Amino acid sequence: MDDETPAFGAADLSNCDREPIHIPGSIQPHGALLALDAESLTVAQAGGNTRQLLGFAPRDLIGKPIEDWLSAGRIGRLRDLLDNEGAMIRPLHAFRMNAVGGNRGVDVTAHFSDGSLILEFEPVYEDIVDDSLALVQTMIRSVQEADSVAAFCQSVADVVRQATNFDRVMVYRFLPDGSGAVDAEAKDPALAPFLGLHYPASDIPKQARDLYLRNWIRLIADARYEPAPLEPVFDAQERRPLDLSQSALRSVSPIHLEYLGNMGVAATMSLSIILDGKLWGLVACHSRTPRFVAHRLRVALELFSQMASFLLETKITAAELELRSRSKVLHDRLLTHLAGVGELADALETLRPSLLDIISADGLGLWIEGRYTHLGRAPDADQAAGLVGWLNETAEDGVFHTSALPTLYAPAVDFADVASGIIALSVSKTPRDYVIWFRPEIIETVTWAGNPDKSVNAEPDGQRLSPRKSFAAWKQEVRLQSRPWSSVAIQTAQALRVSLLEVVLRRVDQIARERESARQRQDALLVALDHRIRQWETTAQQLKIESDRRAVVEAELSEVLRSTVINQEAERQRIARELHDSLGQYLTVMQLDLDGIGRDVDSSLAVKRRVADLKNLTASLGKEVNRLAWEIRPTALDDLGLQTAIQQFLEEWGQKSGLQFDLHLALSDRRLPPIVETTLYRILQEAITNVVKHSQAKKAGVILKATSSEAIMIVEDDGRGFLWDDVDSATKPSSRLGLLGVRERLSLVGGKLEIETSPGHGATLFIHVPL
């Protein structure tokens, strides 16, 4: 190699993933490569064994037309390919010729790259295929009889080894993380088995997998070769290295050659297995001696690889179709249940077991409107809350899935035993609600072909990756991963999400239709209203006058009502005081006189008994007077405040009715304006009376608190409740429960009343009074 070898020609030995393997600037030396100008067919670049195959050194060919060393008939063949084969992105067999330095045959292929016509010359060392099509047919018949994917892979390894005579043939499958595993193997009995071994993703880096996806077959005839550089290295016009992605002779990474040497492999050939446009795996062939597999056999193997990929995809698709069909039955059954629901959240709660059946998992969690429920093995509520928060921040709306959650979300390490793998299906916008399937951690021992971690050696120019030198079985315990989700499970989740969203959209559409119907009715009413307005215009002025009069009357009535209530409370207070102070004192004096009479009279038993009866009657009368005075106007309301009056009131009602009260009174020593205290006390009296009479409640709660701007009282019970639409106007709850009087009292102090109730769930009154 000359002194002007560019940087791209020297592999980046510190990182395999950065190595530009498609532009190595060199080829394998057993063949030759020419890059021709597509119009003039003159040589722009040359490399390899051109002296023995064509009679010229590479640099002597630069700038020369091919007529100098190629016959007119073969040039005509090239012209035909150029005229009839279009882009020729992939190599086509052009012709076979004899090498200038002997009688050995040379296969010549042609394709386009970077606008140049690339000719590759490969000497024929072994040409054992008489009928390529018959060979492919025989191989296909052998593998298509397999009844499982595993049996199919083993059959592929067997027929490829039989057709090629390589020492070892393996079916190598790529795993989701990029690593690989040997699923099938056919080999010389003298070789140690590789079956079941795993290989790290770094053994076949991404750019190499990309080339395997573009090339169905790849041959390294002699892994101990010295690369043959192209001359010149750069294209004269484009000033860039030649792209050899489709070249059969393309030189490979020196790291890979060292890797093969450490493995004891002198030649290797790989056939790609491509399913649905993705690289599923490789048929890897190893030989302990160099193997120059002829172009004709490689074409047959390429065709077999394509057909085998199709058959394998068919088998996998059939298995997935069976799973998908079972999931579809469960999916349709689920949708049947969802068809008539009003609220999706309630439906999902009742259908949790069906959701766990539709996707195979060990647990299921529902996060709906901030509430978490689960079935089977699942994280607890706090862990689920953290997971949902992380999903809302990082996962896109739709279906998120992983079989290694702890590697993405660190707190999941704490619950890896139930949720190392998840499928999370979002059913609403941010903040999203989720249906989440869980799979637990599966602890397994993976057997690698040698230590999967490449060592780093220190060299004069820095550090360098060194391929593994040992491929003996090396065991590693793998944790924090679940059984992987199949594509069917993921597709089922995606289909289920669409169906759930359709249910939501149906409900939205129904609401929209109802709104449209209401709008149409409203439009009709507006038309009728316009007609009425024209009739009412003549009386509008009178209505305004009447309205003004009514406003005055209502203001006067409100003032009268306010005065009446104030006077009524004052009168009640006076009567209560009179009953308590005057009549109570008289009864006390009467009881004292009766005590004196009892001491003064003789010891007649009958007289003493009658005096005792009068004393008891007087005492009872005193208690009744005190009770009446307290009900008319409790003195505690004026003397000690609203909070104490409420406590005394509820203690008495609790003793009389058996109703249990839960009190939360937060006024402490604060006194409210007298009119507010009186209003709240009377409303509570009315509310508790109605609870006892109508609700059949066992418990009632009273909350009283005050802010700087308003007083708030809440009265609730666990009784039978009621439904507004179930009663006619004559028995409206506002009449039945005395709520009209409550609202009138509140109107006097600018307060408001709110009611929440439904059958079987009790009733709650919210009273707000401004301060």
Side-chain angles (χ1 to χ4, degrees):
M1 186 177 294
D2 59 40
D3 295 335
E4 296 181 357
T5 302
F8 70 85
D12 180 358
L13 300 182
S14 65
N15 190 326
C16 289
D17 287 332
R18 294 200 299 266
E19 189 176 355
I21 60 176
H22 65 298
I23 50 171
S26 59
I27 64 171
Q28 299 178 51
H30 67 279
L33 182 145
L34 301 180
L36 308 178
D37 179 83
E39 295 295 331
S40 64
L41 296 185
T42 57
V43 179
Q45 290 174 280
N49 193 12
T50 59
R51 185 177 295 279
Q52 291 186 7
L53 299 180
L54 303 176
F56 299 92
R59 64 182 58 193
D60 294 336
L61 289 168
I62 306 303
K64 290 187 177 182
I66 59 174
E67 287 86 351
D68 290 357
W69 43 269
L70 198 61
S71 68
R74 289 176 178 135
I75 294 174
R77 167 64 176 160
L78 289 179
R79 294 289 186 188
D80 288 340
L81 288 176
L82 292 172
D83 293 339
N84 300 320
E85 293 298 334
M88 282 202 301
I89 297 174
R90 303 195 48 159
L92 296 176
H93 190 266
F95 50 81
R96 178 174 284 191
M97 57 180 281
N98 288 330
V100 172
N103 294 323
R104 184 180 300 280
V106 178
D107 281 321
V108 182
T109 59
H111 72 279
F112 273 111
S113 178
D114 288 340
S116 297
L117 177 63
I118 308 300
L119 297 185
E120 294 187 83
F121 301 81
E122 293 185 75
V124 180
Y125 291 93
E126 48 182 80
D127 195 4
I128 58 176
V129 179
D130 294 327
D131 189 340
S132 301
L133 183 58
L135 174 63
V136 174
Q137 289 174 331
T138 301
M139 296 173 73
I140 290 299
R141 278 196 299 269
S142 298
V143 300
Q144 66 186 166
E145 296 173 358
D147 58 358
S148 68
V149 171
F152 180 87
C153 291
Q154 185 58 53
S155 182
V156 167
D158 291 336
V159 299
V160 171
R161 183 165 189 261
Q162 183 178 0
T164 63
N165 292 318
F166 270 80
D167 295 328
R168 186 197 308 270
V169 175
M170 301 171 288
V171 175
Y172 179 96
R173 174 172 56 91
F174 288 104
L175 301 177
D177 63 354
S179 64
V182 178
D183 284 357
E185 181 181 50
K187 67 179 183 64
D188 186 317
L191 296 175
F194 285 176
L195 182 64
L197 294 183
H198 285 235
Y199 293 78
S202 57
D203 278 13
I204 304 179
K206 180 181 181 302
Q207 73 272 36
R209 293 196 294 271
D210 291 341
L211 287 180
Y212 280 125
L213 190 59
R214 298 169 62 184
N215 298 280
W216 284 91
I217 189 167
R218 178 72 175 137
L219 173 67
I220 302 175
D222 185 352
R224 296 165 296 187
Y225 73 86
E226 289 293 331
L230 295 179
E231 297 185 18
V233 174
F234 289 112
D235 177 88
Q237 294 182 349
E238 300 293 338
R239 294 299 300 166
R240 64 185 180 187
L242 186 63
D243 187 341
L244 299 179
S245 297
Q246 296 292 338
S247 171
L249 293 172
R250 173 176 55 83
S251 185
V252 299
S253 164
I255 295 179
H256 185 57
L257 293 178
E258 185 177 347
Y259 179 92
L260 294 174
N262 293 343
M263 194 180 262
V265 175
T268 179
M269 182 173 65
S270 300
L271 306 176
S272 299
I273 303 176
I274 300 173
L275 307 185
D276 193 25
K278 298 177 182 177
L279 187 64
W280 183 89
L282 300 172
V283 180
C285 308
H286 290 174
S287 174
R288 290 167 288 185
T289 58
R291 288 292 308 277
F292 298 90
V293 180
H295 176 78
R296 185 182 303 179
L297 178 57
R298 297 207 310 268
V299 170
L301 292 172
E302 180 176 353
L303 178 58
F304 168 76
S305 178
Q306 294 171 354
M307 297 186 69
S309 295
F310 171 76
L311 291 174
L312 179 58
E313 184 171 358
T314 300
K315 289 183 179 297
I316 293 176
T317 301
E320 290 181 349
L321 182 60
E322 183 179 354
L323 289 175
R324 193 174 289 111
S325 297
R326 290 203 299 267
S327 296
K328 182 68 164 59
V329 172
L330 294 171
H331 178 269
D332 292 344
R333 190 181 305 162
L334 187 67
L335 289 185
T336 301
H337 288 294
L338 289 173
V341 301
E343 293 295 334
L344 181 62
D346 295 339
L348 290 177
E349 286 284 352
T350 60
L351 295 173
R352 282 185 300 169
S354 298
L355 290 170
L356 196 54
D357 290 338
I358 199 171
I359 293 178
S360 176
D362 294 76
L364 177 82
L366 295 179
W367 184 274
I368 305 294
E369 297 177 353
R371 189 166 62 93
Y372 174 65
T373 59
H374 60 86
L375 185 66
R377 300 180 63 187
D380 61 33
D382 291 338
Q383 293 166 341
L387 175 59
V388 168
W390 176 77
L391 288 170
N392 274 319
E393 291 177 0
T394 60
E396 294 183 359
D397 186 22
V399 175
F400 172 84
H401 62 89
T402 179
S403 57
L405 178 63
T407 64
L408 303 175
Y409 174 59
V413 172
D414 294 336
F415 52 92
D417 58 330
V418 295
S420 283
I422 66 168
I423 292 181
L425 183 158
S426 64
V427 293
S428 65
K429 292 296 183 183
T430 303
R432 303 183 206 126
D433 294 332
Y434 281 95
V435 180
I436 309 177
W437 288 265
F438 302 107
R439 281 183 178 173
E441 172 187 43
I442 294 179
I443 302 175
E444 61 177 349
T445 299
V446 175
T447 304
W448 297 91
N451 189 330
D453 299 323
K454 291 185 178 180
S455 60
V456 179
N457 296 332
E459 296 193 352
D461 57 349
Q463 292 184 330
R464 177 184 184 275
L465 283 173
S466 175
R468 300 191 309 281
K469 295 178 172 59
S470 171
F471 293 86
W474 192 87
K475 297 184 182 297
Q476 180 185 42
E477 186 178 72
V478 177
R479 304 200 58 174
L480 303 179
Q481 293 189 18
S482 72
R483 179 165 52 95
W485 302 100
S486 67
S487 59
V488 174
I490 296 167
Q491 292 168 6
T492 299
Q494 292 168 340
L496 180 60
R497 181 174 185 268
V498 171
S499 299
L500 292 177
L501 291 179
E502 286 177 352
V503 171
V504 174
L505 290 175
R506 261 201 318 270
R507 178 61 179 156
V508 171
D509 184 59
Q510 178 184 355
I511 294 173
R513 288 197 302 271
E514 292 173 352
R515 288 179 176 174
E516 176 61 20
S517 177
R519 188 192 63 78
Q520 292 176 356
R521 291 195 299 270
Q522 184 180 16
D523 290 345
L525 289 174
L526 288 175
V527 170
L529 182 60
D530 288 341
H531 178 69
R532 296 279 185 172
I533 287 175
R534 287 192 294 270
Q535 295 178 342
W536 293 342
E537 286 178 348
T538 55
T539 59
Q541 188 62 34
Q542 294 179 355
L543 288 175
K544 184 179 182 306
I545 295 172
E546 184 63 29
S547 177
D548 293 341
R549 290 176 179 174
R550 181 175 178 177
V552 172
V553 171
E554 286 180 349
E556 293 175 351
L557 180 60
S558 178
E559 183 60 32
V560 169
L561 183 59
R562 178 187 296 273
S563 300
T564 300
V565 170
I566 293 173
N567 294 336
Q568 183 185 55
E569 289 299 329
E571 183 63 18
R572 284 186 175 190
Q573 185 176 15
R574 186 189 66 77
I575 294 173
R577 293 287 186 189
E578 289 292 333
L579 286 174
H580 183 271
D581 297 340
S582 300
L583 186 56
Q585 292 176 6
Y586 293 150
L587 290 172
T588 300
V589 172
M590 184 183 295
Q591 192 169 17
L592 293 174
D593 289 344
L594 288 172
D595 287 340
I597 293 173
R599 289 191 298 270
D600 294 342
V601 299
D602 57 22
S603 58
S604 169
L605 183 61
V607 173
K608 288 185 176 182
R609 183 181 296 113
R610 293 187 64 186
V611 170
D613 290 343
L614 287 173
K615 287 172 61 181
N616 290 336
L617 179 60
T618 303
S620 298
L621 183 59
K623 290 180 181 180
E624 183 65 18
V625 167
N626 286 335
R627 186 191 65 78
L628 288 173
W630 186 84
E631 286 190 355
I632 292 173
R633 178 73 180 188
T635 56
L637 184 61
D638 298 316
D639 299 338
L640 302 178
L642 178 61
Q643 183 165 307
T644 302
I646 289 177
Q647 289 173 337
Q648 292 178 356
F649 172 71
L650 294 181
E651 285 176 4
E652 180 177 345
W653 271 99
Q655 293 172 1
K656 290 195 304 183
S657 65
L659 198 63
Q660 295 183 15
F661 289 99
D662 184 15
L663 303 182
H664 297 277
L665 307 178
L667 293 183
S668 298
D669 296 330
R670 180 179 177 182
R671 295 298 301 267
L672 304 179
I675 184 66
V676 173
E677 290 191 340
T678 299
T679 299
L680 292 176
Y681 183 80
R682 294 304 181 196
I683 290 174
L684 180 63
Q685 277 186 313
E686 183 66 34
I688 296 301
T689 300
N690 283 308
V691 169
V692 173
K693 288 182 180 179
H694 304 294
S695 72
Q696 300 178 2
K698 295 180 180 179
K699 294 181 179 180
V702 178
I703 298 173
L704 177 64
K705 60 182 179 179
T707 66
S708 60
S709 60
E710 68 173 352
I712 302 169
M713 185 169 67
I714 302 173
V715 184
E716 58 182 354
D717 66 77
D718 63 353
R720 62 184 182 180
F722 54 85
L723 188 66
W724 291 92
D725 294 338
D726 289 345
V727 293
D728 57 32
S729 58
T731 58
K732 205 69 171 176
S734 60
S735 300
R736 193 172 40 149
L737 301 180
L739 296 180
L740 181 59
V742 170
R743 286 195 171 93
E744 288 178 348
R745 280 188 174 273
L746 283 173
S747 67
L748 297 177
V749 292
K752 63 178 181 180
L753 170 68
E754 297 176 4
I755 301 173
E756 290 184 1
T757 182
S758 62
H761 294 85
T764 303
L765 278 63
F766 298 89
I767 299 99
H768 298 263
V769 178
L771 297 178

